[in-house]
Amino acid sequence: MISDRFIMEFDRALRTLCAPASTVREVPGNSEAESVMSEAEKAHAAALMRVNHVGEICAQALYQGQALTSRQDGIRRALEQAAREETEHLAWTERRLAELGSRTSLLNPFWYLGALAIGVVAGKLGDDWSLGFLAETERQVEAHLDSHLSELPEQDKRSRAIVAQMRSDEIAHAETAMHLGARELPPPAIVAMRLAARAMTRTAYYV
């Protein structure tokens, strides 16, 4: 039933935005002692983790939109599996923000709705283009996480472990998308995605 599907998807959105995320895997870096950082280092680490949390909010919405419009059951299941792993990333970054005494982005509902709309549009273009969009997104996220690993304080082993594991998972998601038949996006689309991501990360760092 369409009404049942709508209720389920609406519930998923509410849980992503309003409820604490859960994780099956142990939080990376959980065994590491909390590091000693200056207030400036701590604030910078928290801002970077807030950006990563926003990225996971967007990933949830993106996968949700793509799964809603996917034409193949196998691809839909792959998207849903990836979304479950992204939920763990959401839990890890959420927990780390709390440990750093910080908060999530105030614009999370806006980020979610925007990514959901993009996911639906990508899915409507066809599964090959949708997967291509997914693969390119994950490549850009990988590069983004690489930059965070270079920026996070060396002594912040907890944050660094989380980011490193997220990076490994994103690489696997991109490889899965390519295996399932992703098409390479045209250069203008890739540039537009990078510009949009840059605007999002710069805003989420502060808000």
Side-chain angles (χ1 to χ4, degrees), residues 137-148 167:
T137 297
E138 299 293 21
R139 292 191 196 105
Q140 293 189 19
V141 170
E142 178 191 351
H144 157 82
L145 294 175
D146 280 337
S147 71
H148 279 200
R167 178 182 179 278

Side-chain angles (χ1 to χ4, degrees), residues 18-46:
C18 303
S22 60
T23 178
V24 175
R25 289 180 289 177
E26 182 179 359
V27 179
N30 194 42
S31 61
E32 299 284 353
E34 187 61 76
S35 56
V36 177
M37 293 184 282
S38 68
E39 287 303 313
E41 288 174 328
K42 191 173 181 180
H44 183 52

Side-chain angles (χ1 to χ4, degrees), residues 16 25 34 44 47 58-59 67 74 86 96 99 105 108 148 162 168 173 183:
T16 298
R25 289 180 289 177
E34 187 61 76
H44 183 52
C58 291
E86 300 288 359
R96 187 61 187 144
E99 291 174 347
S105 173
N108 275 345
H148 279 200
I162 289 171
S168 295
H173 295 165
R183 296 182 65 171

Side-chain angles (χ1 to χ4, degrees), residues 2 5 31 42 45 57-58 69 81 87 91 98 101 116 126 145 147 157 166 171 180 199 201 204:
I2 294 178
R5 184 67 182 274
S31 61
K42 191 173 181 180
I57 288 285
C58 291
T69 50
Q81 174 59 34
T87 300
L116 180 64
L145 294 175
S147 71
K157 297 186 183 302
M166 288 169 57
I171 291 172
L180 290 172
T201 54

Side-chain angles (χ1 to χ4, degrees), residues 34-49 96 100-102 148 150-157 159-160 205:
E34 187 61 76
S35 56
V36 177
M37 293 184 282
S38 68
E39 287 303 313
E41 288 174 328
K42 191 173 181 180
H44 183 52
L48 293 178
M49 295 309 286
R96 187 61 187 144
L100 291 167
S102 192
H148 279 200
S150 69
E151 289 188 48
L152 281 166
E154 282 294 332
Q155 68 270 35
D156 188 3
K157 297 186 183 302
S159 295
R160 295 179 69 83
Y205 185 92

Side-chain angles (χ1 to χ4, degrees), residues 188-207:
I190 294 174
V191 171
M193 290 171 64
R194 287 175 180 164
L195 291 174
R198 187 177 303 169
M200 183 272 285
T201 54
R202 289 181 176 176
T203 303
Y205 185 92
Y206 298 103
V207 187

